[in-house]
Amino acid sequence: GGLLHEEILVDGLVVDHGVATLEADFHESFGGAVEGAHRHAGKLRGVQRAGAADFSAKRLVMQILVALDLFFFRQEIRRREENRFRQGIMGAHFPAVRTLEDFDFEAQPSIDVKQIKELAQLEWIGQAKNVLFLGPPVVGKTHLPIALGREAIKQGMSVAFYSAEELGSLLDRALKEGTIKQKLYQLSKPKLLVLDEFGYTLFSSASAPLLFRLINSRYEQKSILITSNKPVSEWAGVLGDATLTTAMLDRLLHHSEIIMIRGDSYRLLEKRKEGLLTSARAVGTALTD
Ligand code: ADP
Ligand code: MG
């Protein structure tokens, strides 16, 4: 498209960088000059002396130049913000594009909308608190953390997203390759670390203590968001070490908020809406992930 209909692809989403934003920038930048032009035109009509008219016209040109400068400056700022957002999204490597806007809260009444909106303010990240999403499969445990992560990136925070399985093999590999120190340092950096689907796969006896080290290094410094299909009482089985798990939970839960999602799988709810099923519960867990 032309200048006024420039579309920017951010993480698979088309952001309409269209007429509205350009108009807003134009208005902010040129508003003063346009007003000035009206004033000067009035003056020009009133004055007869050529000197005064010339002076007034020069000032008008100056104002327009300053306004042009401001206009391009604003465009440049906007462009940089968009670049930063795009790079933040790429760096986080989310598994999908999910936003708060496309989460259907009515479909999941066990989630308190207010609580999620509150989390979307991201104060907890500033305070290095942790968040846990616990619940059965397909209830939004991955959707909401991606959406919150995107909000954090919008606000200029760094985010890294890993499934527990990915992180486990990442740590195992780094240990084998002798790069574990650098890897742990790198993982300690992002303002928010999302560890998704804790509990689906077991940590190896080598990676479990490394996960503890990581969580310990972030304790009271940087936030962690963990999602799990298992209650914390079963996490020892995932890490294969009860003492380690107790120590890890101690750090993790000290400053934390736990969001328990109960209820039906979103896919079943959708199917029921379509009239394919009369009761989601009737088919039990057979259709879940
Ligand atoms: P979980 O991680 O709890 O297993 P996900 O968050 O991955 O579930 O959700 C599975 C799929 O269903 C995703 O595509 C997600 O966007 C969608 N989904 C789940 N719950 C909702 C909801 N309440 N509104 C909109 N989409 C949803
Ligand atoms: Mg998930």
Side-chain angles (χ1 to χ4, degrees), residues 97-98 102-108 111 135-145 196-197 200 227 261 265-267 269-270 289:
V97 180
R98 293 289 181 273
D102 50 50
F103 193 77
D104 179 1
F105 285 96
E106 277 172 30
Q108 212 52 259
I111 296 178
V138 202
V139 291
K141 295 190 309 300
T142 297
H143 187 133
L144 290 171
D196 193 28
E197 314 201 319
Y200 280 116
T227 81
I261 312 180
S265 143
Y266 184 67
R267 277 201 261 287
L269 287 165
E270 270 189 320
D289 265 2

Side-chain angles (χ1 to χ4, degrees), residues 118-138:
E118 181 78 35
L119 287 176
Q121 301 300 306
L122 307 171
E123 271 170 32
W124 57 284
I125 299 182
Q127 298 159 349
K129 290 183 178 165
N130 303 323
V131 171
L132 271 71
F133 280 85
L134 302 177
V138 202

Side-chain angles (χ1 to χ4, degrees), residues 7 20 32-33 35 52 55 61 65 75 88 129 131 159 184 195 197 203 206 214 223 231 237 241 254-255 262 269 272:
E7 285 178 341
E35 220 173 77
F55 176 71
V61 169
L65 287 177
Q75 289 291 301
K129 290 183 178 165
V131 171
V159 178
L184 285 174
L195 188 53
E197 314 201 319
F203 277 77
L214 173 59
S223 292
D241 183 327
H254 186 193
H255 312 285
R262 294 175 193 85
L269 287 165
R272 189 163 55 181

Side-chain angles (χ1 to χ4, degrees), residues 11 94 96-102 142-144 146-148 150:
D11 192 27
F94 295 118
V97 180
R98 293 289 181 273
T99 64
L100 286 176
E101 291 76 39
D102 50 50
T142 297
H143 187 133
L144 290 171
I146 295 174
L148 291 172
R150 288 176 68 92

Side-chain angles (χ1 to χ4, degrees), residues 197-251:
E197 314 201 319
F198 183 90
Y200 280 116
T201 52
L202 308 184
F203 277 77
S204 69
S205 57
S207 63
L210 294 171
L211 177 68
F212 170 71
R213 261 172 75 183
L214 173 59
I215 285 171
N216 202 29
S217 75
R218 296 181 63 91
Y219 176 59
E220 293 188 331
Q221 306 290 326
K222 304 276 171 64
S223 292
I224 301 179
L225 189 164
I226 298 192
T227 81
S228 183
N229 62 326
K230 287 195 166 68
V232 293
S233 58
E234 291 174 25
W235 284 17
V238 180
L239 292 173
D241 183 327
T243 315
L244 192 75
T245 307
T246 307
M248 190 183 101
L249 285 173
D250 173 71
R251 309 291 190 279

